[in-house]
């Protein structure tokens, strides 16, 4: 199978210094493997999307010499694929409807003597596993086994593990507002687009075990993962629009690319964008030869 990578931005605003790192790394990885690279616009969470941001992102990528080898796809147009995947899981009893609101979940956890700590995501207590008890379905969840330890190896972070059952619980595939959950959309799309290598920001590393379990439940091929360092904002958190990330300055794409390359531990490059990308592709191949 030909190696294939992708960059999957959420169009919540223009690219910034942090998102360019993931874009560049995924492009370099695909090129270093002699493979193809695609752009997928992850606009399933429509309330968070900014009109026009998708076009702007594609223009910014093009200015940096990063153009999709595959037709660009928009997740908002792929609902039938996600529905078909959910239907398959439902038929096999691997997914179930859930009637619980957030406060229902908190109340069930408190009643079970496991109140949620502040800043900690609630582990779904499984209330609707055995049926809705006459309540209307709001969301759909994946049914996990009692223990779901996932072991995986990240090209940069090394061996990783998470027990999804105890650390996350049965997670949402379709949300109460009718929108498709990121986990389902990303897994279905990576398989449908024959992606072999996922290179993305390190903030997504702890989503990977959920995605591996979903791949297995849907009998989809496994994917290789490589999570790259994040660019942090002034508050020490991942750079984002919310903590003041400025849109990329397109007047000097090479300067923006050099800043992204430095985060990836690649040497500074001079000359033109195409030349710099060629130098970094060789450096990437050298650095991640074993991965
Ligand atoms: N759409 C996600 C984001 O912008 C990236 C998803 C992924 O690469 O799997 O953070």
């Amino acid at each position: 199978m030909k190696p294939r990578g992708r960059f999957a931005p959420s169009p919540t605003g223009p690219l910034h210094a942090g998102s360019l790192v993931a874009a560049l790394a995924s492009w370099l990885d695909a090129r270093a493997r002699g493979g193809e690279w695609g752009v997928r616009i992850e606009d399933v969470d429509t309330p968070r999307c900014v009109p026009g941001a998708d076009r702007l992102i594609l223009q910014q990528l093009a200015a940096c010499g990063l153009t999709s080898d595959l037709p660009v796809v928009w997740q908002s147009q792929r609902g039938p694929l996600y529905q078909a995947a959910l239907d398959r899981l439902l038929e096999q009893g691997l997914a179930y409807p859930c009637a619980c609101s957030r406060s229902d979940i908190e109340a069930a956890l408190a009643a079970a003597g496991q109140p949620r700590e502040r800043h900690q995501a609630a582990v779904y207590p499984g209330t609707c596993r055995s049926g809705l008890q006459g309540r209307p379905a709001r969301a759909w969840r994946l049914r996990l086994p009692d223990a779901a330890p996932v072991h995986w190896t990240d090209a940069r972070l090394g061996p990783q593990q998470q027990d999804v059952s105890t650390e996350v619980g049965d997670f949402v595939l379709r949300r109460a507002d009718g929108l498709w959950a990121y986990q389902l959309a990303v897994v279905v799309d990576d398989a449908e687009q024959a992606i072999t290598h996922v290179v993305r920001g390190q903030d997504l590393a702890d989503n990977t075990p959920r995605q591996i379990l979903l791949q297995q439940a849907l009998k989809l091929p496994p994917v290789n993962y490589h999570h790259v360092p994040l660019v942090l904002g002034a508050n020490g958190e991942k750079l984002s629009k919310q903590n003041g990330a400025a849109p990329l300055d397109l007047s000097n794409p090479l300067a923006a690319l050099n800043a992204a390359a430095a985060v990836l531990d690649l040497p500074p490059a001079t000359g033109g964008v195409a030349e710099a990308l060629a130098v970094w592709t060789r450096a990437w191949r050298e650095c991640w030869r074993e991965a």
Side-chain angles (χ1 to χ4, degrees), residues 17 20-21 24 27-28 59-66 248-263 266-281:
L20 184 62
V21 173
L24 175 63
W27 188 93
L28 290 174
Q59 283 167 15
Q60 291 175 303
L61 290 170
C64 292
L66 310 176
L248 280 184
D249 177 6
L250 288 182
S251 64
N252 189 348
L254 187 63
L257 282 166
N258 260 311
V263 176
L266 295 166
T270 50
V273 164
E275 236 175 295
L277 291 174
V279 168
W280 290 326
T281 301

Side-chain angles (χ1 to χ4, degrees), residues 6 8-10 42 182 186 200 204:
R6 53 43 162 204
S10 303
E42 298 214 323
Y182 157 66
V186 84
R200 60 185 176 189
L204 293 165

